Amino acid sequence: MSDQSPAKKHGDAFENLLHESRSFPPSAEFAASAVAQPSLYEEAAADGPEFWARQARNILSWEQDFTQALDWTDAPFAKWFVGGKLNAAYNALDRHVEEGRGDRVAIYFEGEPGDTRTYTYAQLTEEVKKAANAFESLGVAKGDRVAVYLPMIPEAVITMLACARIGAVHSVVFGGFSADALRSRIDDAEAKLVVTADGSYRRGKPSALKPAVDEALAKDGHTVDNVLVVRRNGEPVEWNDSLDKWWHDVVDSASAEHSPVAHDSEHPLFILYTSGTTGKPKGILHTTGGFLTQTAFTHLNTFDLHPETDVYWCTADIGWVTGHSYVAYAPLVNGATQLIYEGTPDTPHQGRWWELVEKYKVSILYTAPTAIRTCMKWGRDIPQKYNLDSIRVLGSVGEPINPEAWMWYRQVIGANGGKKEHPAPIVDTWWQTETGAHMIAPMPGVTATKPGSAQVAVPGISVDVVDEMGEPVPNGSGGFLVVKEPWPSMLRGIWGDPERFKETYWSRFDNMYFAGDGAKKDEDGDIWLLGRVDDVMNVSGHRLSTTEIESALVSHPSVAEAAVVGAADDTTGEAVVAFVILRGSAKDDDDIVTTLRNHVGKEIGPIAKPRHILVVPELPKTRSGKIMRRLLKDVAEGREAGDSSTLADNTVMQQIAASLKK
Ligand code: 6R9
């Protein structure tokens, strides 16, 4: 290939996705009562940072108003809502009680074994006040860091809000991470307090958490003064008298009186570690005013939230940014009623999610494509046993959603199995730990949605797709996704490493944030996400996207799930290797590999035909549902698979190895 510009390279590769001609305009009825109206885009375009200042004042209660929307003089270190003071927990809790919403349900909790708890706003406020007093009694003060290693139970949200209330900075470490990962995060943030639980329930069995904390703190030289332990599953735990305290001893007896103190708009709210391509995980830092403004604004507008009547359910774990922005903060700031579910979708049966939707009359469901594809694999007859009529809006996040999964989500879930004349709109939301809140997403009620595309920037956000030189590519071409203007919920840096912040995100292009994702603009200018730039393969000079080929494979009726990697090849640079999970009846088809190779050839072109297609029983995924292609690459290149400690199920790599030996 002579032309190696990204526009050309991506242009060759992604034609398939761009042939999507289906478009679903909102129904007149939905549009008429939608929160987001078309004028929002005009206002945002006209007003710049002042648009966000207006949102900040409308959505949040400020103890002291700010004097300036944005200070960008020290770019790329932004200050939003300069001089303003507010308390995040007050905004999420107390004010709803003061304004007469105390009896509204804030959280319906359903444990995996089926135990339930309901917290009204008044009750949740009380719990958070007690936890705030308890944390202070343990010596935690404003600015101190608190590591949170908890399952998906209400105490996770209570802990995060109690930290925010006293100005302590939480660092949630996903419960699926190992003791080593926990320790390195505790050390990096110099956490004083760890909040954990004995464990939780997963797939019908108790699963332990506390032993990992014990192991993490076994070696001296840590900064932790106290470990607060929630009793969740009642399993026996080792007890370290010098560190450990039971939550029910310390929090339950604490006073329920606690006045929130207003913190600066730029006061750190939390650190959340995310893996970089190399080196140690990055502690992404978010601050208060801007984060709350953009998360709450998008939660209202992207999901068309009507807080008095909707029941919202985001299936993300608190250990990921989605569980921060769209479980712990935005829904509560907006006074919404939400469901929190502790367990897995197939315990005790594969209809558990849909049973919950029916039981709680969930109207807004926010989940990940991997979950949707898993449900597809289990079959549509399972959700169809339940009444899903309450669902009004469907959200997707975490990875590109292939058009087949999108259509299934719409018809089977959003149309209650085809029984609804106007299926729920799907909002595919592109954003990152670093961006804090939605950046690219359709607005239901405004945007005519397209299966597979996140489409347009959120009002007030400026994104583009650029070539190697940072020049915008024309419609119909691909390149790198960038953000061109600062935004309120942007990361304020990497904890303890300002240079790495500049280097990672701001050095690739001048004055633009480099997201690390490949993207393409279609003929309408709508944006299609194509996966991480590092997931783009180069085969004989042709750029091929893992997403593209996966999408083609999954469009074949025999394939339930697919993951594609580029394996090093002496002749072609990289060769396409696909791992597929077959649907039931296809497993007996001897010619399936040939059939699938030809299918990809037909869908995308001969160049995209996988060199090898390996039929496997499972794919290695993180608990947030991202396929760990790195591990599959090891298999494809004949190496011992690398570190698999962050997999949701770390037996998957053995299962794959065993299935390939047969
Ligand atoms: C929120 C979250 C960020 C990366 C991001 C991109 C991928 C997220 C997506 C999507 C296509 C979407 N991603 N949403 N890709 N369409 N709607 O997932 O944050 O865990 O930091 O991951 O996830 O590659 O760069 P995070």
Side-chain angles (χ1 to χ4, degrees):
M1 293 285 298
S2 54
D3 183 346
Q4 286 291 307
S5 74
K8 178 72 168 80
K9 285 188 263 187
H10 285 86
D12 285 343
F14 306 124
E15 287 309 313
N16 186 39
L17 285 175
L18 298 174
H19 291 149
E20 181 58 66
S21 56
R22 289 169 291 196
S23 165
F24 300 98
S27 71
E29 210 184 321
F30 194 105
S33 62
V35 175
Q37 294 294 323
S39 55
L40 205 55
Y41 290 98
E42 290 148 34
E43 282 173 41
D47 298 347
E50 287 306 317
F51 169 79
W52 287 114
R54 200 156 56 245
Q55 303 308 328
R57 290 189 177 107
N58 283 345
I59 295 173
L60 301 176
S61 304
W62 295 81
E63 167 91 14
Q64 184 179 307
D65 194 14
F66 49 87
T67 51
Q68 193 186 353
L70 168 68
D71 177 357
W72 191 231
T73 49
D74 188 26
F77 298 92
K79 290 194 182 74
W80 280 90
F81 313 129
V82 182
K85 288 195 192 310
L86 77 171
N87 185 288
Y90 175 82
N91 273 276
L93 300 164
D94 310 50
R95 63 171 180 156
H96 298 308
V97 181
E98 289 169 11
E99 291 164 18
R101 297 185 287 278
D103 292 337
R104 187 181 293 170
V105 172
I107 295 175
Y108 288 117
F109 169 70
E110 173 112 3
E112 197 188 74
D115 57 318
T116 60
R117 278 188 259 168
T118 299
Y119 293 86
T120 62
Y121 272 91
Q123 290 165 331
L124 193 64
T125 305
E126 187 162 313
E127 292 301 321
V128 170
K129 286 178 175 176
K130 286 183 176 181
N133 280 320
F135 294 0
E136 284 178 334
S137 76
L138 295 174
V140 179
K142 181 169 178 169
D144 287 343
R145 274 79 60 203
V146 174
V148 183
Y149 190 65
L150 279 168
M152 205 46 197
I153 55 176
E155 285 82 355
V157 175
I158 293 167
T159 297
M160 291 161 82
L161 291 171
C163 288
R165 191 173 188 93
I166 63 180
V169 183
H170 56 74
S171 163
V172 180
V173 179
F174 177 56
F177 283 142
S178 64
D180 282 354
L182 174 62
R183 174 64 185 260
S184 68
R185 286 159 176 76
I186 289 172
D187 287 350
D188 188 68
E190 299 174 283
K192 276 183 103 166
L193 171 68
V194 179
V195 185
T196 188
D198 48 3
S200 65
Y201 297 92
R202 280 196 81 74
R203 302 192 195 282
K205 288 198 238 65
S207 110
L209 271 179
K210 172 88 171 31
V213 180
D214 297 340
E215 194 186 327
L217 300 181
K219 253 190 273 119
D220 287 347
H222 60 72
T223 47
V224 175
D225 299 330
N226 290 286
V227 176
L228 198 54
V229 188
V230 176
R231 184 143 69 199
R232 169 62 190 143
N233 65 14
E235 293 290 302
V237 288
E238 300 272 321
W239 206 251
N240 177 343
D241 285 326
S242 63
L243 284 177
D244 300 345
K245 309 216 162 34
W246 284 111
W247 174 284
H248 54 258
D249 287 339
V250 182
V251 179
D252 290 0
S253 59
S255 158
E257 297 297 320
H258 187 278
S259 307
V261 181
H263 305 295
D264 192 89
S265 176
E266 283 298 337
H267 184 66
L269 187 62
F270 66 86
I271 306 166
L272 181 59
Y273 288 84
T274 181
S275 44
T277 36
T278 53
K280 62 172 190 169
K282 302 172 279 197
I284 303 299
L285 174 66
H286 283 286
T287 61
T288 311
F291 176 82
L292 294 181
T293 298
Q294 194 177 330
T295 54
F297 169 83
T298 49
H299 185 253
L300 279 168
N301 288 282
T302 318
F303 297 131
D304 191 48
L305 178 78
H306 294 262
E308 309 78 26
T309 48
D310 276 315
V311 178
Y312 165 84
W313 181 21
C314 168
T315 64
D317 191 278
I318 214 85
W320 309 110
V321 72
T322 309
H324 283 61
S325 303
Y326 296 104
V327 177
Y329 287 103
L332 297 172
V333 167
N334 286 333
T337 295
Q338 71 173 321
L339 172 63
I340 291 180
Y341 169 58
E342 176 188 33
T344 47
D346 54 352
T347 307
H349 56 80
Q350 293 175 338
R352 184 72 188 270
W353 273 18
W354 317 114
E355 189 177 72
L356 291 173
V357 167
E358 182 179 289
K359 175 174 173 186
Y360 293 99
K361 299 197 170 49
V362 170
S363 55
I364 305 172
L365 176 67
Y366 191 29
T367 192
T370 178
I372 300 163
R373 287 194 295 267
T374 302
C375 294
M376 284 173 80
K377 185 165 67 181
W378 294 338
R380 65 164 65 204
D381 49 312
I382 292 172
Q384 280 176 6
K385 284 190 217 140
Y386 301 90
N387 183 358
L388 310 180
D389 196 47
S390 54
I391 288 185
R392 283 192 325 106
V393 177
L394 292 172
S396 176
V397 60
E399 46 173 333
I401 175 165
N402 50 299
E404 277 64 36
W406 198 100
M407 289 305 296
W408 189 93
Y409 199 26
R410 175 178 167 90
Q411 287 160 352
V412 180
I413 309 303
N416 194 15
K419 294 195 275 292
K420 262 188 180 170
E421 189 191 347
H422 298 299
I426 295 178
V427 285
D428 177 7
T429 61
W430 178 88
W431 59 293
Q432 308 175 297
T433 305
E434 293 87 339
T435 71
H438 301 163
M439 300 295 278
I440 306 177
M443 290 290 137
V446 180
T447 319
T449 55
K450 280 182 192 172
S453 170
Q455 295 187 288
V456 286
V458 163
I461 298 299
S462 173
V463 299
D464 209 339
V465 181
V466 300
D467 65 18
E468 301 269 7
M469 304 307 294
E471 294 300 323
V473 302
N475 287 353
S477 300
F480 305 102
L481 184 70
V482 294
V483 187
K484 295 172 82 163
E485 299 290 341
W487 63 101
S489 62
M490 66 195 289
L491 74 165
R492 299 303 196 262
I494 294 176
W495 186 257
D497 202 345
E499 277 314 307
R500 191 171 177 201
F501 169 61
K502 288 192 205 162
E503 164 67 29
T504 310
Y505 305 104
W506 303 95
S507 66
R508 181 72 182 75
F509 301 110
D510 281 346
N511 304 318
M512 289 190 277
Y513 170 86
F514 172 54
D517 279 22
K520 176 134 183 166
K521 293 191 255 187
D522 69 13
E523 293 303 338
D524 302 324
D526 279 328
I527 294 176
W528 295 72
L529 276 307
L530 301 168
R532 302 289 305 179
V533 178
D534 35 23
D535 283 346
V536 174
M537 299 169 292
N538 189 329
V539 180
S540 303
H542 291 267
R543 278 271 166 166
L544 294 170
S545 147
T546 53
T547 310
E548 169 82 345
I549 300 174
E550 286 164 10
S551 185
L553 284 165
V554 176
S555 75
H556 191 279
S558 299
V559 177
E561 280 199 79
V564 166
V565 298
D569 184 283
D570 288 347
T571 323
T572 55
E574 279 182 293
V576 179
V577 179
F579 295 78
V580 296
I581 305 179
L582 297 177
R583 286 181 198 273
S585 59
K587 290 180 184 143
D588 304 319
D589 177 355
D590 290 340
D591 293 323
I592 188 68
V593 167
T594 315
T595 309
L596 293 179
R597 290 190 74 238
N598 291 339
H599 177 71
V600 174
K602 182 169 80 45
E603 289 286 306
I604 306 173
I607 183 71
K609 276 189 185 180
R611 169 89 44 91
H612 300 294
I613 297 184
L614 306 173
V615 176
V616 292
E618 272 307 332
L619 292 172
K621 284 179 199 155
T622 64
R623 291 280 274 269
S624 70
K626 289 187 182 32
I627 294 172
M628 288 191 73
R629 292 193 180 74
R630 170 171 68 73
L631 296 174
L632 293 174
K633 209 175 160 85
D634 291 342
V635 175
E637 296 181 347
R639 270 191 307 276
E640 177 108 330
D643 177 25
S644 62
S645 61
T646 59
L647 288 181
D649 174 356
N650 52 26
T651 66
V652 167
M653 293 315 294
Q654 283 126 311
Q655 290 179 40
I656 292 176
S659 74
L660 298 180
K661 273 196 205 111
K662 278 184 204 154

